[in-house]
């Protein structure tokens, strides 16, 4: 039964990769919101290769069946899945919170460098240019996540993000780094305990749109998110946190310092914490969010 289940996941992943993995040579774009329906049909009927097109058509997925008529597309998708560099929504390691928080906008298939680690996910984010105190705080927050057996989800940016990731790895913890560019556009190092993900085509460079999507995926994967340093109404940390709070993607915490950006996030509903351990261990005392009004 285990072997059958594994094979089924592999076959589903190949179809999902062919339809949704960024950058593959499709005859037309398949909307991401169609992913849950495709997955549902594959799970219910488990069609073989020769039955796939008819099965999709019988369930109203005519467009998807037409796209999958390309043998080149299916072969390329199968090659990437077999190489272990695809994470699809059919995989056991796919983050459950992406489904609940993002709904139809959750990516059905993305690039990955390793298996997504098991455990509760937390994110620590902050400005690139941050004083030494903020860098030390971020590093200790990463250590706190690792000590609690959690997975640190990071954007990999310099400053707070990279300090938190270094702290988690120094404690033997697991880190997931979501990139705002393709695997072929930057150096991806094989580091024990670290998994890279990307929703960009393989050779795509950095873009603001990819950075915004990367931010949403970080927060949506995380049960709790800590903002270690932020400038008021400036930069990606502020914009990403406010947008994620507005969408309710995560429970937000912010380092309790007397700085305009920090106090503004607290006023918007983020929980103030003094120590990194408090971020992990504190019982939530829900405060009203202005976005819920």
């Amino acid at each position: 039964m285990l072997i059958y289940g594994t094979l089924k996941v592999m076959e589903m992943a190949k179809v999902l990769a062919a339809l949704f993995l960024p950058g593959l040579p499709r005859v037309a774009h398949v909307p991401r919101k169609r992913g849950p329906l495709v997955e549902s049909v594959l799970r219910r009927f488990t069609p073989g290769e020769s039955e796939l097109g008819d099965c999709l058509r019988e369930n109203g997925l005519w467009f998807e069946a037409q796209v999958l008529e390309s043998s080149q597309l299916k072969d390329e998708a199968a090659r990437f899945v077999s190489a272990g560099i695809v994470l699809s929504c059919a995989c056991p390691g796919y983050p459950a919170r992406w489904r609940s928080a993002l709904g139809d906008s959750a990516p059905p298939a993305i690039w990955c460098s390793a298996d997504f680690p098991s455990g509760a996910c937390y994110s620590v984010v902050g400005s690139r240019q941050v004083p030494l105190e903020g860098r030390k705080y971020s590093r200790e927050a990463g250590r706190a996540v690792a000590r609690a057996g959690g997975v640190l989800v990071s954007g990999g940016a310099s400053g707070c993000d990279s300090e938190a990731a270094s702290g988690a790895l120094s404690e033997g913890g697991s880190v997931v780094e979501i990139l705002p560019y393709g695997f072929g556009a930057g150096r991806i190092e094989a580091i024990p305990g670290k998994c890279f993900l990307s929703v960009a085509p393989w050779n795509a460079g950095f873009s603001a749109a990819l950075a915004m999507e990367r931010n949403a995926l970080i927060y949506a994967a995380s049960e709790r998110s800590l903002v270690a340093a932020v400038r008021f109404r400036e930069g990606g940390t502020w914009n990403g946190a406010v947008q994620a709070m507005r969408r309710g993607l995560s429970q937000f915490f912010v380092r309790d310092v007397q700085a305009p950006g920090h106090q503004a996030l607290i006023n918007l509903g983020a929980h103030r914490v003094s120590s990194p351990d408090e971020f992990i261990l504190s019982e939530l005392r829900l405060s009203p969010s202005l976005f819920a009004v």
Side-chain angles (χ1 to χ4, degrees), residues 217-228:
L217 291 174
I218 290 171
Y219 295 127
S222 307
E223 295 182 7
R224 297 186 175 196
S225 299
L226 172 64
V227 180

Side-chain angles (χ1 to χ4, degrees), residues 30-74:
V30 182
R32 181 181 290 183
K33 65 181 181 180
R34 305 279 286 179
L37 181 56
V38 173
E39 181 191 5
S40 175
V41 170
L42 295 176
R43 287 191 184 279
R44 281 188 292 136
F45 299 103
T46 320
E49 176 68 23
S50 61
E51 306 165 327
L52 178 60
D54 289 340
C55 180
L56 293 175
R57 292 185 186 91
E58 289 171 3
N59 287 275
L61 297 170
W62 288 80
F63 182 61
E64 288 77 5
Q66 182 179 5
V67 171
L68 288 172
E69 289 177 357
S70 168
S71 58
Q72 177 189 357
L73 173 63
K74 290 188 291 185

Side-chain angles (χ1 to χ4, degrees), residues 215-249:
N215 291 342
L217 291 174
I218 290 171
Y219 295 127
S222 307
E223 295 182 7
R224 297 186 175 196
S225 299
L226 172 64
V227 180
V230 62
R231 293 173 294 163
F232 181 58
R233 291 185 175 179
E234 292 184 39
T237 300
W238 170 267
N239 292 326
V242 170
Q243 289 295 326
M245 290 178 69
R246 179 178 288 116
R247 297 172 63 183
L249 298 184

Side-chain angles (χ1 to χ4, degrees), residues 98 102 123 125-126 128 153-157 161 178-180 199 206-222 225 235-244 247 249-250 252:
W98 279 356
L102 297 174
S123 57
V125 302
R128 294 172 181 269
V153 185
S154 170
D161 292 32
I178 306 179
L179 305 174
V199 290
F206 173 90
S207 73
L210 288 172
M212 290 176 62
E213 182 171 14
R214 180 270 310 269
N215 291 342
L217 291 174
I218 290 171
Y219 295 127
S222 307
S225 299
T237 300
W238 170 267
N239 292 326
V242 170
Q243 289 295 326
R247 297 172 63 183
L249 298 184
S250 182
F252 270 83

